[in-house]
Structure formats: structure tokens, C-alpha cells
Amino acid sequence: MSIDPRTGPAPAPTGPLSTIDYSERIPNNVNLAEDRRLQRALEGWQPKFLDWWKTLGPALPTKDVYLRTAIAVGRDGWAHFDHVPMEEYRWGIFLAERDPDRVVNFGKHKGAPAWQEVPGEHRADLLRLIVIQGDTEPASVEQQRILGETAPSIYDLRNLFQVNVEEGRHLWAMVYLLHAYFGREGREEAEQLLKRNSGDVDAPRILGAFNEETTDWLQFFMFTYFTDRDGKYQLGTLKESAFDPLARTCEFMLKEEAHHMFVGTTGVQRTVERTAELMKEHGTADILPYGGIPLAVIQKYLNFQYSVSLDLFGSEQSTNAGNYYTSGVKGRWQETRRKDDHVLLDDTREMRLVEDGRIVTKTVPMLSALNLDLRDEYVADCANGVRRWNQALEDAGLDERLTLPHEGFNRKVGVYAGHHVSPDGEVLDEAAWQASEGEWLPTAEDRQAVAALMVPEYEYGKFAGWIAPPQTGINDQPVEFDYVHLAEEGLV
Amino acid sequence: MTLTTTEGAAVDFDAAPDRYKHWRLDLDGEIATVNLLVDEAGGLVPGYQLKMNSYDLGVDIELYDIVQRLRFEHPEVRSVVMTGGLERMFCAGANIRMLAQSSHAWKVNFCKFTNETRNGIEDATQNSGQTWIAALNGTAAGGGYELALACDQIVLVDDGSSTVSLPEVPLLGVLPGTGGLTRVVDKRHVRKDRADLFATKSEGYRGATAVEWGLIDETVPRARFDEVVRGRAQAAAANSRRPRQATGVVLTPLARTEDRDSISYSHVTARIDRDARRVDITVQAPAERPPADAAAVLALGVDYWPLAVTRQLDDLILRLRTNEHLIGTWVLRTAGDSGTVLAYDEQLAELADDWFVNEVRHYFKRTLKRLDVSSRSLIAVIEPGSCFAGLLLELALAADRQYMLAGVYEDVDPDAEPATIVVAASNDGAYPMGNGLSRLESRFWGHGDGLAAVRAELGKPLDAEAADRFGLVTVALDDIDFADELRIVLEERASLSPDALTGMEANHRFVGPETIETKIFGRLTAWQNWIFIRPNASGPDGALRRFGTGQRGDYDLNRV
Ligand SMILES: [Fe+2]
Ligand SMILES: [Fe+2]
């Protein structure tokens, strides 16, 4: 990247600073107090963000919530817990520490110093990737807006809000990059991130899965397990980016995603535990009458969320993904641990697809199949949780098990789109699919039945009948801790 | 590094009469005779002999110099006779071995320059009162006939064997690329079926048919040839508006400092950033107000700022275009006082009828046209301290994009005056493009109301906000965004396909009507450049490569 000797290297403007103390309101490690460009951007953006949070953020009125706030990147700054009114949450801007020797680890710029500015050549690609990532962050908050009204416990309610404020912070993180590195176009895109809304017919979120309603808590747990996990893997590839500020931003976001994964894994786990308990107690799989969610319904929810999440990885074969890799804007999961040349020009891999009604394998150039490479990593990770849940079934002495459906099941994107594949991997015709769809994916009745169980439980330490309590509380607090103080009118 | 062709050294455009190798200039009062007698061994690049008065870029650089000097140094010359110094052969056109051995880029650039020179000859006839007459004392083949086509009148000797011809298609598998096809039908109004016969018949036509079809104006036996030519020259001279008693302005050698990455003149500097493949060009406003009157202007001569800056720009454009193929983006800046620039702008309009000022104006026009047809991305940067006003605003209007800083660089010079631009009457017609429109009209093509709005602002300084509102700049950004935006834009530009950019820019720059010039630089040149890279011309068995081997081209017979 060259710098115009006349205009200089995009100086951080140093004119008159704002009188507002942003560092107090916005914890950061990006030297906000002395950055005019960011200050101006924030002046325009922060009120809009707060408006958005008030209108499309959590609907349940609360006084305050026991939340973790990141106030610095170190271990201590990270674990800062307190009761905070949510609209006063201090959404911070943090990038992982900079490694001054960092180089590009893959693609055609391999070995060159990492980019501290956006190279013009890759501006469009980087902007697009950041906008797509940024669009998912507020989307899930919108999708989960009314879940607070049916929370199975104050403990779970707090976890929901923690996920929500952190997704809000992830939006900040992407908006920071747009403001700091993409000039006017970046500011315009940042505004659009608040103008698109989940499920809005006129201005929907970019990715399909983020326009689906989150109807109930089982779906919320499935979402945080499967769909947030997709986000984790996407962040993992951006964390390898040659564009260092993006890499460092994503590295820090990944720490928060770990908590979201935890909410999903344990949420499904506790649901399965309670289901197993009821199955044993009543000697039947049909535990709906006893206030539990049948394992078959849990499997259908899993099938649905898993398959729509696989779609988020995009087409198995993608020129864009190859271009992103070669140009250095987006790497592979754990790029530096891979034992290959990190250029991949001559590499190939196997890819499955449907041909003449059968699933066959063909060899394709590795560079064209990087979406599939990432998805494979994701699938292996998803299987870990399923094993844990099955352990709960085994511990309860039950023979039933949960499974991940076949990769071709219920797919709308990529090589399986337009085909019907059963959870076992059998290619079906339209009629066979129609006949069995209701056994594999949640029906309207299933969702209604689950929804009927979703009665709020706001008494500290108590849990709704369809879910088991957790082993421990948050931040060494007891399970019955007053994690959320509801607003007066919100109390039941 | 500097890139030429197989040739090595950079091409120099400095020519002077005492160093001409290929031309002889005879001055006889109001009539000048330009005599082509090519030095066979005097090629610009080794590897070919310039036989039969065939030419290469070196020959054309001298011709360009002659055209320029006749206009500036010789106010007394009112008609120009172009003839040849060989027996029976006026000129055989561009040298085929030279073309066959040249890189594609060299051929393209060669054709562009020769086209510009021929357009300049027409411009002299039309706007300088110097009528060019081709006195073809022998055969004019290919580029030789195209030289004649650039003249106002063509007389061919009637000796039973001399012809005019365009043998490129049948013999070489390429086009007559210096305006031949265009001028035959568009200027000389030859019927298209006859033009078709003509351009496919390698030996061409002798005088009688050529006159009948309009390919030439007259054919005369050798005995009367000189007399007829002289008669035509005298008649043309009689109609000229050039002054009777005037002193010319000698085009003294340009003072130029060069090192590896920069070229500087008194009013123009260019700094090359090779990694970014970009050159930053800054044009400096004059320090002094304009001289009092026409006499004082003439007394300044080559030091009259508008002429000085035009010569420097012209030279710079030619050098960058020919020698710096890798430098794909030209960033145009101006520096100095807008008021002073506008004072010159007004003077150029006021004294437009003065022969010397007229020459300066048309030279500036031609130089801007060179910019228009340069296959480089042109980006104008308008910052505090700049003077994009009147004639210098033309540079911004010629650019593909205009970036204007709103306000000042707070951390560099917070007390600076924010930049303004000034649209003047000169932007609305004094310097038309090849399409016959002003750059202002071109910019607002199809937007009469936008054009009218700008016309109502003539002479007023427009700040970034106003310039943006009137549609005169691409973007106006304040200093928080400006530098970074510009850096990204330039890097992004440098990452795009140079070929696609050339094609895209050439399409966007020329809106509206077609003219002979736009057809030559658009239709003719684009097809020629396509044909040049096709195997049928330049492949190992192509006609261009096989010429002179006794074998004809072996063609791929598919029509594309
Ligand atoms: Fe997130
Ligand atoms: Fe998340």
C-alpha cells in the first residue's frame, strides 16, 4: 500500500475535539478521546443506535440486569459484572492487542506485513464482508425481542439479555471498522445496518436465517447453539484477515461468542435433561401432557436450525470465497495451524453432490470449495454438543439419541438446493418428501405445543417445568441470585 | 523502469529544424514547402530501413515539429505544400518492418500520435489560415495517402503510373489506421462502394479515376505539376487571414529537468510513484498578471504563460504516454492564484483575433484533446491553494473524476483558504473536444437545466458545497474523509484491468455527436487495435509478419 506524500497516510484528524467524554460512555482501546473522525461518526450514530435498541431491543421492561461489561482487553477488564440498566449499558469498542510483526499468512500476499489500512484494491470486498457480518449482529437481537416475556427463569432471562447486549456490541465493533476505515461510504453502510430489520418485508436483513422469527426458547437455544456457531466460524475466518484491524476486532468478538455458545449448549442440554427425567418418570416418550418437550420435537427443532445454519455458509463451490482467500481478506478456520502451503493453487478436495438421484462425490479445486472447508469444521464442532446431549440421555438410562441430519437435508443454498434429502441422506422425490416432512421438521402444531409450555417464571431460583436448572450460577453467584430486576409494571 | 518497446531508450519529442533527418522545409514568402525525404538509415529504433519514404515515429515527431513551428514561427506563411523528395514515390506509409517488430503498445501509441499530428494539420488549415496542399509527385500509398488526406487539397502527378492507394487490407491484413477509411468517406465524400473498391485494391487508382471518385482534387502532367500546385498555394494564401507584417515566435528548446521519477518544467511538475503506478502532476499558475496588450504578449513569446504551460503539458503528456506505460493513473492538481489565471483567461478571449493569441488558444485546445484521448485514468484533486479556474478548470473537466476538499486540512494548515473553482466563459466553447462540444457541454450532456444553472454562475468562485451541488465535482469531502478516500480510490483504480479502464474511459469521455475525430479515435482506432492483436495480422503466419517474405498471410477464416 502506498501513501501519497502530499496527502499523507490518512491522518487521524486532530482538530477540535468533542466536549463529550466518549471514553467514559464508550469503553475503548482505540484512542477514541483523540480521534476526531470517530467522534464525529459516533455523534451521528450513537443516538440512532440507542433509538434502535429502545424500539427493537428487548421488549420486557427491566430496571437493571446483572451484566458483564468489557472495559478493557485484559483478563481483568473483561470480567466486569454489575447490575446495569440496559439502555445505559456501556457498549465498548475493543480490538485484541496489536502484534506489530503480524504478517499476511495466506494467499497471494503471504509473508507481506498485515494491512493497517484498507488497500483500495480490496475495499469493496472488505466492505461487503464487514457489512454482512455486521448485519447479523443486530438481527438476532430483533429476532429475540419478545422472548423475555416467556423466560423460563430469571437466570435464563439474564443470559438472553447478556447475549443481546453483546450482539449489540458486535454491531458496534463492525460499525467502528466502517467508520474508522471506510470513510463516507462506511458511514452510509453503518446507517443501513440500523435501517434493515429482521423480517421487515421492505428492508429485510441480508441473510435468510436472520429474518426467521424466534418463536420460543427452545428455538432460541438452538439458534445460539447452531446459528451463533456459524457466526463464530465466520469470525474465525475474518480473524485471519490480512486487514489487521478486522482481524483484531474479530479475535475479541470471539471471546464473547464463547458465552453465546455456552448459553446454547447448556440450554439444549437442560431441556434434554428435563425431557429424559419426565420420560423415565412416566415411562413414555409422549411427555407433553406432563409439561415436557418430547425428544422427537427437540430433534425436529435441531434438524431445522442445523439445516438453515448450513445454508449460511453459502454455496459449497464459490468463486468469491476463493477470491477472498487469494487476496487475503478472509482466511480459513485456524489458518496458521494448517499444514499446507496456504496458497492452495494446486490443491483439490472431495465434494458431495446430487447427480441422477444419487449422492456422488467429485474432486474440485480446493480454492473453489473454501465455504465447504469451513462448513466441515463447523459440522465437526456441532457434533460435540450432540454427544454431550446424548450423554444426558444415556445417563438417564434411555436408548433414544439425538442426531445431526445429513448435510443435504432441507437445504436451500448450494449443491443440495432443489433436491430433497432425508435426514439419513436418502435422495427423495417430491411426494416422499411431502409425506415425511412433518416427521422431520417442526410443524405448526409442534410449535404451538412448545409455545404453550412457554410460561414465564420470574421468581428467583425457580424454573419452568420443561427445563432443568443449571449446575451453577453466573460469575460464582448462586442460581437463585437476583440477576434481573424487572420494572414494576413488568412484575407478574 | 521506463518502458518503451524492444527499443530501450526513452523517446524524446524535442525536434528542431537544424536536426531534421527526414524533412526539408523551404520558405518562400507566403508559401512554405515541406519536403519528405526520409533518411533510410535514420529509424528511431534499430531493425528496419525506412525505404521508399516510409515513416516511423521519428519521422512523425519531426513533422509535428514542422506543423507547430509553421504556426508559431511563421506568421507570414499562408499556405503549405507537402511534397516528396523521391522520384515516383511520394510516401509509402508507415514502415511495415517497424510495425511487424513493434510491441502492441508501441503500435497503438504510434498510431495515436500520428493521428494527432494529422488532426493538427487540419486544424492549421481551418484555424490558422495555413492551408495545407498535398502535392503528390509520385505514388501515395497507405499512410502516405493518409498524410495527403489530412491536407485541404490533393494534387497527384499524372505520369501514367503514380497512384493513390490504401493497400493495408489486401496486403497487410490491417486497417489504414491514420484516418484513411474515415476521411475517404467522411471528408472527401467518396461513395461507400467505391471506397470499398479502393481500400481492397492494393495498387490503388491513377489520377483520372481518383479525381472522378473524389479521392483527389486534380491530376496534372509532370510538366505542369509545379505550376498548378503553386497556383493553388497562391490562391489559398490570398484567402488567408494571417497578418502581413508580423514577427513570429521562435519555439526555443523547452527547459526540462528529469530524474528517474520526476519531470519538471517551470510551470508543470510530475512526480512518479512507481509502486502506486501513478503520477502526480501539478500545473502552476503564473506569478505575474498578464501583460498589457497584444504587443506585450507577443514580446513575451514562448514565455507568455499560457503558451509556456501548454508546451510543457504537451511535452509531458507525450513523454508519459510513450515512455511510462506502467503509470496508469494521472493525478492532476493546480497551484496558485485563481484570479491571475482568470486574468489570462480573459485576455485570451479579448485578444482572440490576434494571430499569436489565436495560435496559443488552439494549441491549448489540441493539448487538452491529447489528454482526452490518453489511455490513462485522469483524476483531478482540488485542494486549498489550487486554481482550477477558466482554462485550468479544463484540466479538471477533462479528468474522469474530480475530488474536492471541503474546507481545509485542519491538521496541516487550519488557516488556509478553502478551495474554490471558477467556471468561465472559456469553459463553454473556447476549447472544444473532438466531439465538437465544450467539456462543460459534454459533462451536462442531456441535462440542459444543469448546464443552464452552471452558466448562470460563470465567473463566481464555487466552494466545494456549491461545486458539488452544481455537479462540477464527483465528490466533495472534508478533511476527515478526504485523504483516506483519495488514497483508497487511487489504489482501487490501480487494481483494475488497464485494458478495461482504457475502453471504459474512452467511452465515457466522448458523449454526443460523432465527428471525424471521434470516429478516428473511437471506431477506427478501436478496430485497428483489435486487428493488431489478432493472429491474422500479428501471429507468426499473419499478414503483417509475413509481409516481404513472398508468402501471404495464412488466415483463420472465421468471421468474428
Ligand atoms: Fe455476534
Ligand atoms: Fe453471538
Side-chain angles (χ1 to χ4, degrees), chain B residues 393-463:
Chain B
L393 182 66
E394 286 295 305
L395 295 173
L397 293 173
D400 298 299
R401 298 190 196 176
Q402 302 77 23
Y403 285 81
M404 186 162 185
L405 177 71
V408 298
Y409 290 116
E410 294 281 355
D411 40 355
V412 177
D413 186 1
D415 303 323
E417 273 290 304
T420 57
I421 61 173
V422 184
V423 183
S426 65
N427 302 116
D428 202 15
Y431 307 109
M433 301 175 60
N435 57 10
L437 304 176
S438 71
R439 284 177 189 75
L440 209 55
E441 288 172 306
S442 290
R443 188 174 185 88
F444 291 97
W445 187 246
H447 294 277
D449 46 349
L451 181 60
V454 171
R455 280 176 173 158
E457 302 296 313
L458 293 191
K460 298 180 199 160
L462 303 173
D463 65 9

Side-chain angles (χ1 to χ4, degrees), chain A residues 304-377:
Chain A
F304 173 78
Q305 203 66 43
Y306 177 69
S307 54
V308 298
S309 299
L310 290 185
D311 277 348
L312 290 175
F313 288 85
S315 285
E316 286 81 354
Q317 282 204 283
S318 158
T319 330
N320 274 349
N323 288 342
Y324 291 156
Y325 185 82
T326 302
S327 60
V329 301
K330 184 177 171 184
R332 286 173 298 171
W333 180 253
Q334 301 202 320
E335 182 69 45
T336 49
R337 294 200 204 163
R338 307 272 189 131
K339 300 268 178 284
D340 54 33
D341 68 357
H342 304 277
V343 182
L344 312 180
L345 286 179
D346 304 318
D347 295 6
T348 58
R349 62 156 293 154
E350 304 289 283
M351 181 187 84
R352 284 179 295 278
L353 71 159
V354 181
E355 219 171 73
D356 301 328
R358 289 180 317 119
I359 292 175
V360 298
T361 301
K362 85 171 182 189
T363 305
V364 295
M366 180 63 94
L367 270 180
S368 76
L370 290 177
N371 284 342
L372 183 54
D373 177 86
L374 185 64
R375 205 182 73 195
D376 283 352
E377 299 284 336

Side-chain angles (χ1 to χ4, degrees), chain B residues 197-504:
Chain B
L197 286 168
F198 176 59
T200 51
K201 184 176 166 74
S202 58
E203 62 274 32
Y205 291 97
R206 282 185 295 271
T209 312
V211 171
E212 190 195 338
W213 289 9
L215 293 164
I216 61 173
D217 294 287
E218 192 174 355
T219 184
V220 193
R222 192 165 295 285
R224 285 183 45 232
F225 188 72
D226 290 345
E227 178 197 329
V228 167
V229 168
R230 184 144 191 98
R232 283 180 172 267
Q234 281 164 343
N239 282 329
S240 173
R241 290 174 287 106
R242 279 176 90 81
R244 287 287 173 192
Q245 311 285 337
T247 319
V249 169
V250 176
L251 299 178
T252 52
L254 270 181
R256 177 180 58 231
T257 346
E258 270 180 288
D259 59 31
R260 198 178 157 278
D261 295 327
S262 75
I263 306 175
S264 314
Y265 313 81
S266 58
H267 303 293
V268 179
T269 56
R271 228 171 287 286
I272 294 173
D273 179 339
R274 297 197 182 276
D275 292 336
R277 284 180 283 111
R278 184 183 84 225
V279 57
D280 287 288
I281 299 170
T282 305
V283 178
Q284 196 77 39
E288 312 283 327
R289 306 280 299 177
D293 51 23
V297 168
L298 187 66
L300 279 176
V302 285
D303 295 324
Y304 182 50
W305 175 77
L307 176 57
V309 82
T310 302
R311 290 183 76 201
Q312 295 167 10
L313 263 175
D314 190 23
D315 190 59
L316 179 68
I317 293 168
L318 289 172
R319 298 177 85 84
L320 289 175
R321 229 162 60 171
T322 312
N323 299 330
E324 298 287 356
H325 295 200
L326 283 170
I327 307 305
T329 307
W330 294 358
V331 178
L332 304 168
R333 289 184 176 83
T334 53
D337 176 42
S338 291
T340 315
V341 174
L342 286 169
Y344 279 89
D345 200 64
E346 280 161 29
Q347 181 170 68
L348 290 171
E350 267 166 37
L351 302 180
D353 290 337
D354 174 77
W355 78 270
F356 173 60
V357 170
N358 176 60
E359 289 305 339
V360 173
R361 284 162 58 98
H362 284 290
Y363 186 20
F364 187 61
K365 172 195 74 180
R366 294 193 300 279
T367 303
L368 290 168
K369 285 184 180 183
R370 265 207 220 286
L371 207 48
D372 292 334
V373 299
S374 291
S375 53
R376 301 293 191 278
S377 296
L378 307 175
I379 310 283
V381 174
I382 308 167
E383 297 161 306
S386 70
C387 50
F388 285 101
L391 72 165
L392 288 191
L393 182 66
E394 286 295 305
L395 295 173
L397 293 173
D400 298 299
R401 298 190 196 176
Q402 302 77 23
Y403 285 81
M404 186 162 185
L405 177 71
V408 298
Y409 290 116
E410 294 281 355
D411 40 355
V412 177
D413 186 1
D415 303 323
E417 273 290 304
T420 57
I421 61 173
V422 184
V423 183
S426 65
N427 302 116
D428 202 15
Y431 307 109
M433 301 175 60
N435 57 10
L437 304 176
S438 71
R439 284 177 189 75
L440 209 55
E441 288 172 306
S442 290
R443 188 174 185 88
F444 291 97
W445 187 246
H447 294 277
D449 46 349
L451 181 60
V454 171
R455 280 176 173 158
E457 302 296 313
L458 293 191
K460 298 180 199 160
L462 303 173
D463 65 9
E465 185 275 322
D468 193 22
R469 182 157 38 86
F470 284 113
L472 291 163
V473 295
T474 312
V475 269
L477 294 170
D478 68 16
D479 76 317
I480 290 185
D481 290 323
F482 192 79
D484 205 28
E485 180 73 18
L486 187 58
R487 174 187 65 78
I488 287 180
V489 161
L490 294 173
E491 286 179 8
E492 198 165 40
R493 196 75 171 184
S495 74
L496 301 175
S497 157
D499 299 336
L501 285 177
T502 296
M504 180 192 82

Side-chain angles (χ1 to χ4, degrees), chain A residues 386-405:
Chain A
V386 177
R387 263 194 296 279
R388 275 185 65 169
W389 304 332
N390 283 336
Q391 189 62 45
L393 293 170
E394 193 178 334
D395 291 349
L398 294 171
D399 295 332
E400 289 87 343
R401 295 291 180 264
L402 293 168
T403 54
L404 288 178

